[in-house]
Amino acid sequence: MHEQLTNRFSVVPRHIAIIMDGNGRWAKQHGLPRIEGHRRGVINVESILECASEINLEVLTLFAFSSENWNRPREEVDALMNLLSEFLASKEPLLHKNRVKLRTIGRKHELPERVVAQLEQVESSTAQYPRTLVLALNYGSRVEVVDAARKLIAMVQAGTLDPANLDWDSLSRCLYTSDLPDPDLVIRTSGESRLSNFLLLQAAYAEIYYSPLNWPDFDRKAFAGALESFQKRERRYGMTSEQIAKRPLPA
Ligand code: FPP
């Protein structure tokens, strides 16, 4: 029986975003094909979803397919799409059970039609729930900024936005994440320490945690380790330690 994470942490982030890296290396270490690494990666998604429920996490974002992942061999891209499809079919009941809604960020319309249909069906059947699982699919921050710029230009042309009034609030409303809180904690597995075009604007004040473990090995103990590290961080948002200490506690 594994140790439950419920009530174990005094400070729980609202939003954790994960770069699930190292499936290929995990497979290589075990003498298996890359696809098997991704399959084990999906099994690990199930276990981390369980951890997220135990800590009552408001938003969990998973980087499942980047806008650059199309450049991988065709059979790997197809296998990732199939795994996504199987995941959606098999995990829909779990989302209902845990009252989690599915959301996607990224250029969804460029994914295979059957995957889009499935995503939309699960998004709509879970829309009423309070907690959120965000799948970043065909996602990249630079493309997201391009899409936001297009929306802003259209608003200016339609006369609904005066460029002189453009500020971060109006710009962030045009990002894919307009209805989500910014991530408090970004985790990347597999020992790589870079953000790889993932939530670059939203993670401006996020704490970053790098784990040496490949994604299929990033278990609940490792997830708890990331949360323990988060407890110890002092988030200053450009202020000094003294200012932070004097700040009134949030209501
Ligand atoms: C990185 O490992 C992982 C990916 C590119 C895909 C992540 C996808 C999954 C875990 C499966 C699909 C997700 C869901 C939610 C159903 P890598 O292949 O880059 O590993 P490597 O750097 O060791 O080669």
Side-chain angles (χ1 to χ4, degrees):
M1 191 45 198
H2 53 236
E3 201 193 333
Q4 291 281 309
L5 301 182
T6 318
N7 297 333
R8 205 172 125 184
F9 304 97
S10 52
V11 189
V12 175
R14 281 182 78 188
H15 181 175
I16 298 180
I18 308 184
I19 304 176
M20 309 180 286
D21 198 9
N23 293 344
R25 274 161 287 167
W26 182 93
K28 200 168 181 188
Q29 278 168 8
H30 291 80
L32 295 166
R34 288 182 60 81
I35 312 297
E36 195 48 38
H38 293 312
R39 194 166 291 124
R40 292 298 294 251
V42 178
I43 294 172
N44 202 41
V45 166
E46 298 168 20
S47 127
I48 295 302
L49 278 176
E50 210 174 275
C51 296
S53 281
E54 287 169 26
I55 61 164
N56 207 14
L57 186 69
E58 201 176 313
V59 184
L60 175 68
T61 298
L62 300 175
F63 202 3
F65 193 85
S66 79
S67 46
E68 290 76 32
N69 284 154
W70 297 110
N71 298 324
R72 294 193 172 201
R74 174 73 197 269
E75 54 285 11
E76 184 167 342
V77 172
D78 289 349
L80 282 168
M81 292 301 146
N82 287 337
L83 283 172
L84 174 62
S85 185
E86 284 166 24
F87 172 83
L88 292 169
S90 66
K91 292 302 149 209
E92 190 180 354
L94 190 71
L95 296 179
H96 289 289
K97 182 172 164 260
N98 291 333
R99 299 174 53 76
V100 175
K101 67 167 151 286
L102 181 76
R103 272 272 275 112
T104 54
I105 53 171
R107 285 186 176 169
K108 186 166 70 178
H109 60 278
E110 291 172 0
L111 295 168
E113 241 173 76
R114 70 188 162 87
V115 174
V116 176
Q118 235 183 330
L119 285 166
E120 286 178 351
Q121 182 267 313
V122 181
E123 283 180 291
S124 108
S125 82
T126 57
Q128 71 275 29
Y129 296 134
R131 297 177 38 237
T132 311
L133 169 65
V134 183
L135 293 183
L137 290 165
N138 192 18
Y139 175 85
S141 287
R142 289 183 173 181
V143 166
E144 180 179 30
V145 169
V146 169
D147 285 349
R150 286 189 181 147
K151 286 184 208 161
L152 289 167
I153 291 165
M155 285 158 73
V156 170
Q157 285 170 343
T160 55
L161 174 71
D162 177 351
N165 294 333
L166 180 63
D167 56 9
W168 171 245
D169 274 353
S170 41
L171 197 152
S172 66
R173 276 198 293 274
C174 292
L175 297 176
Y176 304 144
T177 50
S178 56
D179 56 339
L180 298 167
D182 282 343
D184 303 292
L185 175 63
V186 175
I187 298 173
R188 182 173 190 148
T189 60
S190 87
E192 308 284 3
S193 30
R194 53 178 176 269
L195 288 174
S196 299
N197 206 14
F198 183 53
L199 299 178
L200 295 183
L201 293 172
Q202 297 86 341
Y205 290 102
E207 297 298 322
I208 318 279
Y209 181 84
Y210 297 109
S211 164
L213 298 172
N214 288 323
W215 173 248
D217 290 330
F218 188 81
D219 55 8
R220 60 172 44 238
K221 189 163 164 261
F223 184 76
L227 285 168
E228 265 149 29
S229 167
F230 182 78
Q231 314 284 291
K232 296 184 196 130
R233 311 279 181 102
E234 183 189 60
R235 305 183 75 193
R236 290 196 293 273
Y237 303 95
M239 290 182 271
T240 66
S241 285
E242 290 70 26
Q243 286 174 305
I244 295 290
K246 278 194 213 131
R247 226 170 30 157
L249 288 171

